[in-house]
Amino acid sequence: LDINDIEGTFNEVASRIPVSQTFELDGVMSDEQCRDWLDRYRPHFISPANKLVYSFWVSFIYRRIRVFDASEDFNYNETYDSLGSSLMKVMLDESEQMLMRDQTDRSWSLSNHTQLIYDFSQPESPKFRLICTSPDDLDPVQKEKFEQLDLPGFALPNMMELRRRETLDRYLSQALSIPLTEDENGNQFLQCVNDHRFVLTL
């Protein structure tokens, strides 16, 4: 074998290693190293003295990293160069929206709120979904990036779709891992919404 054959074989083997497993090659971090990395990337709006908000942020990020670890779409991606960074930007923006801003006087129908949905209906291979409460107000650059990420079930809902109950039921079903019920006409809905007379609204 010459050097080109060896390099080609190595690249072939490397391409078959899930992305999330490549981090294991760096070895297990100590608790001190882990805290150092968390402090390094801690958002500016979270004070290290505010242990409650800091804990919320760590839990928020950890749940989303679990999806990265198990997602086949991410681990075996060979098509989209910016897949990880695009999804991570949404995750970090979400954490700021949830932990920094006052939500009591915010109308999600008047300003756009972008959020990833983590569908664990197939635990061995969770999927990313996306909801935007006001797609027309989405940043054009970010919108173009999302549209380029042609992942299964990953699509920008338009305003007409967001006004339909079946769209919101589907997102809730995916986010909460509650199965949908199907009526005689093939329409799918959340039975618990009917049972408890919940009103779905953005």
Side-chain angles (χ1 to χ4, degrees):
L1 291 177
D2 61 22
I3 187 64
N4 292 328
D5 292 332
I6 295 174
E7 183 178 354
T9 301
F10 177 82
N11 290 335
E12 175 67 21
V13 172
S15 69
R16 297 175 183 272
I17 300 176
V19 174
S20 60
Q21 290 186 12
T22 61
F23 298 107
E24 297 177 8
L25 300 176
D26 296 328
V28 178
M29 288 191 294
S30 66
D31 290 347
E32 183 178 355
Q33 289 174 316
C34 186
R35 283 191 290 269
D36 287 343
W37 278 100
L38 286 173
D39 285 337
R40 183 180 304 183
Y41 291 99
R42 171 178 50 82
H44 66 88
F45 60 87
I46 298 180
S47 167
N50 192 333
K51 299 299 183 184
L52 181 61
V53 175
Y54 190 91
S55 176
F56 284 156
W57 176 69
V58 171
S59 298
F60 186 97
I61 296 299
Y62 175 69
R63 182 175 187 273
R64 285 146 181 79
I65 294 303
R66 282 180 56 215
V67 185
F68 272 130
D69 279 347
S71 172
E72 293 182 357
D73 297 324
F74 170 69
N75 278 301
Y76 297 100
N77 167 54
E78 296 182 355
T79 307
Y80 310 105
D81 293 334
S82 60
L83 176 59
S85 59
S86 296
L87 296 177
M88 183 58 73
K89 182 182 185 306
V90 178
M91 294 178 184
L92 295 176
D93 287 346
E94 284 179 22
S95 70
E96 180 172 349
Q97 290 174 342
M98 294 297 101
L99 299 176
M100 179 182 179
R101 301 176 185 172
D102 182 4
Q103 306 294 323
T104 56
D105 60 350
R106 187 179 184 198
S107 172
W108 284 6
S109 61
L110 297 179
S111 61
N112 182 59
H113 171 76
T114 304
Q115 182 171 335
L116 289 173
I117 303 294
Y118 310 96
D119 183 1
F120 280 91
S121 56
Q122 296 178 324
E124 71 284 354
S125 182
K127 303 293 184 184
F128 292 100
R129 315 294 186 192
L130 181 71
I131 186 170
C132 297
T133 59
S134 185
D136 294 339
D137 296 326
L138 185 63
D139 176 73
V141 175
Q142 190 73 354
K143 183 176 182 179
E144 183 179 359
K145 283 186 176 181
F146 286 147
E147 290 174 340
Q148 292 174 352
L149 300 179
D150 187 23
L151 299 175
F154 192 93
L156 286 171
N158 57 44
M159 290 305 298
M160 184 174 296
E161 291 172 323
L162 288 173
R163 293 190 181 100
R164 294 203 295 261
R165 177 185 160 178
E166 61 182 292
T167 302
L168 300 181
D169 275 24
R170 184 176 70 252
Y171 278 120
L172 283 173
S173 170
Q174 295 164 349
L176 302 176
S177 298
I178 300 175
L180 293 166
T181 300
E182 188 170 308
D183 63 20
E184 63 276 6
N185 297 318
N187 299 314
Q188 294 185 318
F189 60 94
L190 283 175
Q191 185 63 50
C192 61
V193 173
N194 290 2
D195 293 343
H196 299 281
R197 299 182 180 179
F198 291 137
V199 176
L200 296 182
T201 175
L202 292 176

